[in-house]
């Protein structure tokens, strides 16, 4: 590398050697800094393999970051956290485990209506080490459809377990939902899935295929409207989808595959911070979506209390009915947060009916996009939760007031199952964020601060190196 002569001065023969040394030093500094950053990141992530409570108990004593009324709702964060922890979460956990609530009817194999299939996670004969037949329980040996997939990209955590009790089903009346796509009706392509055997958690589904799903949801059907350009209804649709997205991210972080070699699972608090906690609006939208769905459930209280929950198991059916009554009519919830969300303020004015049809169309498109998800288990939970959200919209915006809901509201069994499982998912997410955010934020902010400090030193070192190099070339 030549050194430019200045003012006709004679070239310094030592110039190239100095610059090479300085540049090598700069490269070494960058490598050392990068290695330090990697080591720091690994040390932070390794801390989540154990119980977070052993690391720090101060989180519960820290001042809560979110205070006051949840935006566009009628309940404050402190009350939501208390009611969820003491009342809603325990009831919902029991309810979703009942025979009625744990079996979901879904069409898992379907063509994407918006773009050609990219082949991701749709391999039906992929290479998987199969267990000897002697290891299967008798229930697993029942014949399944020849089209049932064996695996998803070789990742067992992405595969849906179809083991179920065929005696657990009684049909409900099929009704139309103007908020969701029309393909979820009874036909030969539908299958029943035991949700307790297929928890929503990390599946390894990522990359362009996963990003394309959320890009289509947000950019084409649910843009982040600027306050001066949108009405309340448009903002609410965005907040509902953002809150659901946050909840899904929380569940991935709370049940994460920490080590593929040992197949060990645990909490990934760094991921929780990076995907949710770092963005306060995502946390606020999570709480909003939880209260929105809770309002739908409480508004439909009379309908849900009188509905039949028959599964050919009288004891369990009575338990389901009792849990449902406790959930929809709990005195503490009624006293502390009687109207979590006021739907009566929407669809007002001359544009009301037109706007309602527009948002229904957008939400139907979102529900259809779920068929494009390339991971089978992600598709299962995506379709269930979007159906649950569509059911909440149907309840809140199809009937004017509670006194008419008993006569004018009709729900499918699948809609009730989706609604209750969605509320439980949101309840779990709110509880996890409430309990783990102090520790996760301290870890995430500490890691970010350390990275910034490292790269500041690197940039300073590079700047000094360039200055010295220029000076050396002019000797």
């Amino acid at each position: 590398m030549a050194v430019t002569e200045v003012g006709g001065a004679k070239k310094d023969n030592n110039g190239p050697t100095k610059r090479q040394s300085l540049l090598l030093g700069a490269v070494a500094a960058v490598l050392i800094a990068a290695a330090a950053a990697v080591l720091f990141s690994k040390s932070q992530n390794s801390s989540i393999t154990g119980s977070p409570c052993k690391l720090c108990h101060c989180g519960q004593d820290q001042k809560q970051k979110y205070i006051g009324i949840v935006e566009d709702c009628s309940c404050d964060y402190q009350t939501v956290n208390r009611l969820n922890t003491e009342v809603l979460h325990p009831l919902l956990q029991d309810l979703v485990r009942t025979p009625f609530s744990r079996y979901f009817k879904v069409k898992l194999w379907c063509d994407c209506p918006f773009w050609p299939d990219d082949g991701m996670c749709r391999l039906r004969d992929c290479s998987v080490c199969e267990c000897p037949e002697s290891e299967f329980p008798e229930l697993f040996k029942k014949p399944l459809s020849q089209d049932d997939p064996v695996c998803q990209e070789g990742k067992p955590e992405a595969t849906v377990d179809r083991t179920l009790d065929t005696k657990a089903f009684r049909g409900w009346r099929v009704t139309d939902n103007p908020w969701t796509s029309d393909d979820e009706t009874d036909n030969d392509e539908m299958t029943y899935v035991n949700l307790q055997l297929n928890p929503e958690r990390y599946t390894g589904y990522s990359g362009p295929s996963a990003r394309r799903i959320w890009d289509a949801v947000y950019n084409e059907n649910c843009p982040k409207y600027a306050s001066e350009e949108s009405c309340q209804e448009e903002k609410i649709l965005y907040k509902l989808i953002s809150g659901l997205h946050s909840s899904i991210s929380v569940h991935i972080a709370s049940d994460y595959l920490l080590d593929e070699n040992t197949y060990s699972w645990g909490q990934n608090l760094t991921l929780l911070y990076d995907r949710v906690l770092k963005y306060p609006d995502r946390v606020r939208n999570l709480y909003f979506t939880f209260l929105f769905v809770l309002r739908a459930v409480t508004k439909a209280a009379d309908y849900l209390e009188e509905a039949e929950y028959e599964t050919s198991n009288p004891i369990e059916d009575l338990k389901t009915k009792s849990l449902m009554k406790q959930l929809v009519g709990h005195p503490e919830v009624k006293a502390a947060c009687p109207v979590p969300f006021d739907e009566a303020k929407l669809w007002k004015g001359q544009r009301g009916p037109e706007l309602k049809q527009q948002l229904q169309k957008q939400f139907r498109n979102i529900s259809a996009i779920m068929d494009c998800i390339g991971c089978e288990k992600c598709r299962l939970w995506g379709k269930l939760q979007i159906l649950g959200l569509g059911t909440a919209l149907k309840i809140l915006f199809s009937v004017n007031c509670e006194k008419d809901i008993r006569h004018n509201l009709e729900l499918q069994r699948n809609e009730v199952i989706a609604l209750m499982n969605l509320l439980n998912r949101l309840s779990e997410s709110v509880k996890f964020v409430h309990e783990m955010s102090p520790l996760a934020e301290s870890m995430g902010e500490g890691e970010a601060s350390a990275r910034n400090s490292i790269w500041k030193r690197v940039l300073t070192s590079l700047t000094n190196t360039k200055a010295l190099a220029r000076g050396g070339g002019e000797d």
Side-chain angles (χ1 to χ4, degrees):
M1 183 180 292
V3 176
T4 304
E5 296 185 11
V6 178
K10 189 175 181 180
K11 181 170 67 177
D12 186 351
N13 292 330
N14 293 328
T17 303
K18 285 183 180 180
R19 295 187 67 186
Q20 289 174 359
S21 299
L22 290 168
L23 289 173
L24 286 173
V27 171
V30 172
L31 292 174
I32 292 171
V38 170
L39 289 173
F40 180 84
S41 177
K42 286 185 176 181
S43 68
Q44 291 286 71
N45 283 328
S46 65
S47 68
I48 64 178
T49 60
S51 173
C53 298
K54 295 180 180 178
L55 300 176
C56 177
H57 287 284
C58 60
Q60 299 299 326
D61 298 326
Q62 291 183 14
K63 185 178 180 181
Q64 288 298 314
K65 184 174 181 180
Y66 299 93
I67 57 176
I69 300 295
V70 178
E71 187 179 26
D72 292 323
C73 293
S74 308
C75 204
D76 61 83
Y77 286 96
Q78 185 177 6
T79 300
V80 173
N81 290 325
R82 180 180 63 80
L83 289 177
N84 186 46
T85 301
E86 297 176 3
V87 179
L88 297 171
H89 184 262
L91 283 172
L92 287 164
Q93 289 286 290
D94 288 340
L95 183 60
V96 298
R97 293 190 183 102
T98 63
F100 177 86
S101 301
R102 67 171 174 251
Y103 295 108
F104 182 63
K105 182 178 66 177
V106 62
K107 182 180 176 182
L108 286 175
W109 291 105
C110 36
D111 294 327
C112 174
F114 299 105
W115 54 75
D117 174 33
D118 58 11
M120 292 292 293
C121 285
R122 290 175 65 91
L123 300 178
R124 303 196 179 195
D125 297 307
C126 51
S127 177
V128 173
C129 179
E130 297 183 3
C131 298
E133 186 175 347
S134 59
E135 292 187 18
F136 280 109
E138 287 298 321
L139 205 59
F140 279 50
K141 298 178 181 178
K142 292 182 179 181
L144 299 175
S145 167
Q146 293 182 353
D147 290 334
D148 285 337
V150 177
C151 71
Q152 302 294 320
E153 281 193 297
K155 295 180 181 295
E157 62 271 14
T159 309
V160 170
D161 186 333
R162 288 175 169 78
T163 306
L164 53 87
D165 180 0
T166 56
K167 297 180 180 180
F169 313 113
R170 290 284 181 89
W172 277 29
R173 184 173 178 177
V174 176
T175 59
D176 179 54
N177 187 338
W179 292 89
T180 57
S181 59
D182 296 327
D183 70 334
E184 299 302 314
T185 55
D186 283 309
N187 57 55
D188 294 337
E189 297 177 337
M190 305 292 286
T191 184
Y192 286 101
V193 174
N194 187 334
L195 299 173
Q196 295 296 304
L197 298 180
N198 298 278
E200 181 190 22
R201 59 180 182 177
Y202 170 83
T203 63
Y205 181 53
S206 60
S209 179
R211 285 195 298 272
R212 183 164 57 178
I213 298 296
W214 287 113
D215 286 345
V217 168
Y218 284 112
N219 298 337
E220 299 176 22
N221 298 286
C222 193
K224 187 173 183 179
Y225 300 96
S227 58
E228 67 276 5
E229 298 175 356
S230 63
C231 58
Q232 185 73 359
E233 291 84 355
E234 292 171 326
K235 293 178 188 176
I236 284 175
L237 179 59
Y238 171 81
K239 290 169 67 173
L240 287 174
I241 297 301
S242 172
L244 178 59
H245 192 179
S246 298
S247 181
I248 292 170
S249 297
V250 170
H251 282 283
I252 292 172
S254 66
D255 201 359
Y256 194 83
L257 183 59
L258 301 174
D259 190 330
E260 291 192 18
N261 294 325
T262 61
Y263 205 66
S264 59
W265 294 77
Q267 299 171 351
N268 189 332
L269 298 186
T270 301
L271 185 69
L272 175 68
Y273 175 79
D274 288 340
R275 291 194 181 182
V276 180
L277 300 181
K278 190 161 64 174
Y279 308 93
D281 63 309
R282 297 182 184 179
V283 177
R284 290 192 290 265
N285 293 340
L286 168 63
Y287 276 79
F288 170 80
T289 305
F290 177 53
L291 290 176
F292 184 94
V293 177
L294 178 62
R295 168 56 182 158
V297 170
T298 57
K299 183 176 181 179
D302 289 343
Y303 183 95
L304 294 172
E305 284 183 353
E306 296 179 2
E308 295 296 332
Y309 301 99
E310 296 181 8
T311 63
S312 301
N313 188 331
I315 296 177
E316 287 291 336
D317 297 344
L318 286 174
K319 178 182 177 182
T320 302
K321 202 171 188 69
S322 174
L323 287 170
M324 188 69 76
K325 286 185 176 181
Q326 293 179 60
L327 176 68
V328 300
H330 201 284
E332 286 191 48
V333 178
K334 285 186 173 181
C337 194
V339 184
F341 172 81
D342 184 9
E343 70 280 1
K345 61 187 177 183
L346 301 180
W347 320 115
K348 300 295 184 181
Q350 193 172 5
R351 282 194 65 220
E354 176 189 351
L355 186 60
K356 189 174 184 179
Q357 290 183 354
Q358 172 192 327
L359 295 186
Q360 283 178 345
K361 180 180 178 181
Q362 289 176 316
F363 196 84
R364 283 198 299 269
N365 285 340
I366 292 172
S367 68
I369 289 172
M370 297 301 104
D371 286 335
C372 301
I373 298 175
C375 160
E376 187 182 39
K377 190 170 288 184
C378 307
R379 190 184 313 124
L380 163 66
W381 282 101
K383 290 170 83 77
L384 180 144
Q385 291 179 95
I386 287 295
L387 177 59
L389 199 52
T391 304
L393 289 163
K394 175 181 176 179
I395 293 170
L396 292 181
F397 303 130
S398 298
V399 182
N400 293 328
C401 58
E402 285 89 338
K403 67 180 180 181
D404 296 329
I405 206 164
R406 191 181 310 179
H407 306 291
N408 298 331
L409 178 67
E410 291 185 351
L411 298 177
Q412 296 185 50
R413 171 195 168 112
N414 225 35
E415 290 177 323
V416 176
I417 294 170
L419 180 66
M420 293 306 159
N421 277 277
L422 170 62
L423 186 60
N424 179 62
R425 297 277 85 192
L426 294 167
S427 169
E428 288 183 342
S429 295
V430 166
K431 186 173 185 290
F432 191 74
V433 165
H434 173 59
E435 293 177 348
M436 304 309 301
S437 60
L439 178 57
E441 286 177 347
S442 65
M443 291 172 59
E445 291 168 358
E447 183 176 345
S449 177
R451 282 199 300 261
N452 289 338
S453 177
I454 289 170
W455 289 113
K456 281 181 181 178
R457 291 199 295 270
V458 170
L459 291 174
T460 301
S461 175
L462 289 173
T463 301
N464 293 337
T465 298
K466 290 179 180 179
L468 289 171
R470 286 196 297 269
E474 295 171 0
D475 284 346

